[in-house]
Amino acid sequence: MTNATSIASGNPSEEDRILDALVIGAGFAGLYQLYCLRERLGLSVQVLEAGAGVGGTWYWNRYPGARCDSESHSYCYSFSEELTREWQWSERYPGPAEILRYLNHVADRFDLKRDIRFNTRVTAAHYDQERNIWHVSTGSGDQLKARFLITAVGCLSSANVPKLPGLASFEGDWYHTGQWPHAGVDFSGKRVGQVGTGSTGIQAAPVIAETADHLTVFQRTANYSVPARNAPLTAEFQQYVKDNAAQIRELTRTNTNGHPFHISERLVSDTTPQERLALYEAAWERGGLQFRATFQDLLIDKTANDTAAQFIKNKIRSIVKDSATAAILADIDHPYAAKRPPIDTDYFETFNRDNVALVDLRATPIEEITPRGVRTSDKEYPLDIIVFATGFDAMTGPLLGIDIRGRNGLRLADAWQAGPRNYLGLQVAGFPNLFTITGPGSPSVLCNMPVAIEQHAEWITDCIAHMHNHDLQRIEPNPEAMDAWVEQVNAAADATLLPQATHSWYLGEHVPGKPRVFMPYAGGMLHYRRICDKVAANNYEGFELSK
Ligand code: NAP
């Protein structure tokens, strides 16, 4: 626990005011970081948020079919027993509207909004080494100063709109799923083209197909998906969550991925083909990300993985009636779950509808967008609306979208020219007092996000309290510790099949010019938590702390 001593800095006029901390972003991470620093340490904190409300990812991603793939009872904060007791989720997986209601409830309950400036996009953050403060500039011309700068910008918040020739000439409407109009989009009577078949596209297509006149799905890389089996939560389950909140919290905090289930200890080779089939069938029926937990070795042994891959490909062929379409959907080139595994509601079934067609971009790539639609190497597809479900400039994009400069004017973009380099995913050498919540090099996106976020926000809070208690003003990693961590991040990824999915946003593959580096830490949340705890217990070893 951190101590509750106030270390706020006086009460000078607004322009001279040096805040204790500035937090960028008011999603899950920014809200909790504000709560920790203000309520536990008594710091002066300001959160700057580009959106008009709280929510982060969920403020922007309101596309049709959007839904979280973590189960609702674990996709929430666990720091407050009262909060857990009073909130009730309605469905197995929460959609954006319910998550936004939850986050607004949290923000109101803990009176957080008074320290959040909405509609305020941070454009630059420059470190002033003489005064040991960060100068932060916003799009509206405001200048703020703070001793600590904490980014809570999300991992998937920088939309990747492909630079396709002719897009500006398109006479219809186009949207990126990560910047979805809050008023919604009416597809009725429209010919819609959807580019992209990741988690987002797989969720969106079935819902768009319900109202569109016609939907054409443009698939570049075929993808696995397992049924989500979303459903309303029963009163019994809702009661179970309240009665077992402490155990659920313990479970999510003490496993590899932060989800409320353990990965089986069984190896594929421990089972006969019949036993395997029965286990996969049961997991398919249960639905969700737990499918990945059927065996311990699915992500480390290609032969083991092939059995899961084959099972899902067979499912695709059995669901999709047109064999040519089924063949394109099942022509998957990477191990199962080496890309983030989507879960769906009737995705493959959607291709049995008369108003849905699939285009194989591997065979016939998009050449241009025309005023009328999409032209592939084969033909032109006339469209009224194009939906780009083309993902994000993940993990580094949101950070490099801000002009961040550290000591001696070092630009983060230059420090990370060959890919992200940091210590524990938390700090970068040359950028004192800058913390990056769920930054590259931390488990983040390989973990149930709220669990990863709480761990980072609490670690940062404890670190700042330690600095105060020891009269320390500056922290940054030493370069050797950073190099060693980068090696650990690479080694953790190489011990899995994850880097084998070459078209993966974990590797930054589909953003032109982005260095190809496996970004999240794949050694597991539990292991990572222990490393961070040990570093703190050993007097923040690997960091340089100074007055
Ligand atoms: P994504 O996984 O990166 O998928 C992007 C899709 O667009 C891929 O099919 C990609 O093809 C395609 N694409 C990109 N550029 C293209 C181009 N120029 N031409 C044609 N196709 C192109 O992005 P996402 O689906 O938005 O998902 C990102 C992550 O967000 C997920 O992995 C997940 O972590 C999170 N998410 C979670 C949920 C959930 O909780 N249920 C829902 C949605 C998203 P290639 O594969 O060939 O590059």
Side-chain angles (χ1 to χ4, degrees):
M1 279 296 286
T2 51
N3 79 30
T5 319
S6 172
I7 51 176
S9 351
N11 189 24
S13 72
E14 176 69 9
E15 64 194 34
D16 297 330
R17 189 172 183 217
I18 299 174
L19 292 152
D20 290 317
L22 269 167
V23 176
I24 310 175
F28 266 95
L31 293 180
Y32 187 47
Q33 190 65 77
L34 166 61
Y35 172 83
C36 288
L37 295 180
R38 197 183 74 188
E39 301 302 319
R40 296 186 184 155
L41 301 189
L43 300 194
S44 58
V45 188
Q46 177 86 77
V47 177
L48 303 174
E49 165 57 54
V54 301
T57 289
W58 303 101
Y59 179 86
W60 303 103
N61 281 265
R62 304 189 196 197
Y63 59 85
R67 198 170 282 286
C68 184
D69 58 5
S70 292
E71 302 199 26
S72 54
H73 65 293
S74 64
Y75 195 75
C76 48
Y77 296 111
S78 69
F79 68 90
S80 160
E81 276 176 36
E82 295 77 23
L83 175 63
T84 306
R85 256 200 309 278
E86 71 202 15
W87 184 260
Q88 192 140 292
W89 294 104
S90 67
E91 294 180 275
R92 181 174 175 186
Y93 307 95
E98 192 166 19
I99 299 172
L100 289 175
R101 273 201 302 280
Y102 172 72
L103 289 175
N104 274 288
H105 169 74
V106 172
D108 293 336
R109 190 189 192 288
F110 296 106
D111 191 20
L112 300 177
K113 287 180 186 168
R114 71 178 150 95
D115 287 318
I116 305 173
R117 241 187 241 191
F118 293 108
N119 302 306
T120 303
R121 183 173 288 282
V122 172
T123 51
H126 295 175
Y127 176 66
D128 171 347
Q129 63 197 75
E130 295 303 314
R131 300 171 69 198
N132 189 34
I133 54 173
W134 281 90
H135 294 264
V136 170
S137 312
T138 73
S140 46
D142 294 335
Q143 305 280 331
L144 294 98
K145 303 191 240 336
R147 291 171 53 221
F148 292 96
L149 178 64
I150 303 167
T151 61
V153 289
C155 299
L156 299 161
S157 51
S158 179
N160 169 51
V161 179
K163 293 187 176 41
L164 294 167
L167 181 56
S169 74
F170 182 54
E171 287 169 357
D173 296 319
W174 66 265
Y175 307 94
H176 186 280
T177 49
Q179 297 169 335
W180 202 256
H182 289 186
V185 176
D186 183 5
F187 294 107
S188 47
K190 305 284 190 199
R191 297 160 302 173
V192 182
Q194 178 187 299
V195 184
T197 54
S199 301
T200 301
I202 280 174
Q203 287 183 330
V207 182
I208 295 174
E210 276 170 21
T211 53
D213 181 50
H214 189 270
L215 171 66
T216 306
V217 176
F218 295 90
Q219 171 191 286
R220 190 164 67 181
T221 304
N223 215 338
Y224 302 95
S225 187
V226 166
R229 311 255 182 243
N230 185 41
L233 292 178
T234 61
E236 291 74 39
F237 189 80
Q238 287 170 332
Q239 192 57 46
Y240 158 82
V241 171
K242 291 191 191 308
D243 294 345
N244 295 279
Q247 290 89 327
I248 294 168
R249 179 174 199 263
E250 185 62 12
L251 177 58
T252 57
R253 286 168 70 98
T254 53
N255 72 27
T256 306
N257 49 34
H259 287 288
F261 53 80
H262 281 299
I263 295 173
S264 168
E265 289 179 4
R266 196 171 34 217
L267 301 177
V268 166
S269 56
D270 291 341
T271 55
T272 65
Q274 291 76 10
E275 287 167 342
R276 248 179 342 253
L277 189 59
L279 287 164
Y280 283 139
E281 284 290 358
W284 183 269
E285 285 311 312
R286 197 164 48 243
L289 290 176
Q290 282 191 57
F291 189 91
R292 192 176 47 175
T294 310
F295 292 100
Q296 191 215 91
D297 49 351
L298 288 185
L299 265 183
I300 47 177
D301 179 342
K302 177 69 168 57
T303 312
N305 190 289
D306 285 344
T307 64
Q310 206 48 53
F311 176 86
I312 300 175
K313 289 177 184 178
N314 288 343
K315 282 288 184 195
I316 297 171
R317 292 187 200 104
S318 74
I319 295 169
V320 180
K321 293 186 181 132
D322 176 65
S323 59
T325 303
I328 297 168
L329 289 165
D331 185 18
I332 308 173
D333 65 358
H334 52 276
Y336 166 65
K339 277 183 158 191
R340 166 81 169 215
I343 61 175
D344 72 275
T345 300
D346 295 337
Y347 176 64
F348 296 115
E349 288 81 351
T350 294
F351 293 94
N352 293 333
R353 296 177 65 114
D354 292 338
N355 68 334
V356 175
L358 179 67
V359 174
D360 179 4
L361 296 182
R362 287 278 168 93
T364 57
I366 295 176
E367 292 193 333
E368 61 170 340
I369 307 293
T370 67
R372 275 165 32 97
V374 169
R375 185 193 300 284
T376 67
S377 60
D378 178 42
K379 62 183 230 195
E380 185 183 52
Y381 294 85
L383 299 168
D384 302 306
I385 296 177
I386 303 174
V387 173
F388 288 106
T390 43
F392 302 90
D393 181 355
M395 305 202 77
T396 51
L399 292 168
L400 297 180
I402 302 170
D403 173 19
I404 298 179
R405 299 187 196 189
R407 229 173 330 95
N408 302 319
L410 175 64
R411 292 169 68 238
L412 187 63
D414 291 333
W416 284 6
Q417 202 171 22
R421 298 182 71 77
N422 60 21
Y423 183 39
L424 302 176
L426 278 162
Q427 274 218 308
V428 187
F431 297 80
N433 297 353
L434 168 68
F435 292 99
T436 52
I437 300 183
T438 62
S442 74
S444 58
V445 292
L446 298 178
C447 180
N448 179 24
M449 284 304 287
V451 175
I453 284 167
E454 283 192 332
Q455 186 260 343
H456 262 187
E458 286 164 9
W459 193 96
I460 291 166
T461 305
D462 288 345
C463 176
I464 292 176
H466 169 89
M467 291 174 69
H468 170 66
N469 292 339
H470 293 83
D471 199 21
L472 297 162
Q473 273 82 41
R474 200 188 314 249
I475 178 166
E476 67 175 298
N478 67 52
E480 298 74 34
M482 194 166 84
D483 290 347
W485 182 249
V486 171
E487 270 178 38
Q488 279 201 59
V489 173
N490 291 336
D494 290 342
T496 71
L497 303 176
L498 292 167
Q500 290 192 20
T502 49
H503 274 275
S504 147
W505 59 260
Y506 296 150
L507 282 159
E509 174 66 16
H510 58 250
V511 178
K514 186 162 175 162
R516 226 166 154 279
V517 172
F518 192 88
M519 293 180 286
Y521 174 68
M525 188 63 212
L526 176 60
H527 188 55
Y528 174 79
R529 186 189 292 277
R530 287 184 178 146
I531 294 171
C532 291
D533 288 349
K534 192 168 160 222
V535 163
N538 288 346
N539 234 347
Y540 292 89
E541 71 181 325
F543 290 97
E544 280 163 19
L545 293 114
S546 55
K547 299 215 184 255

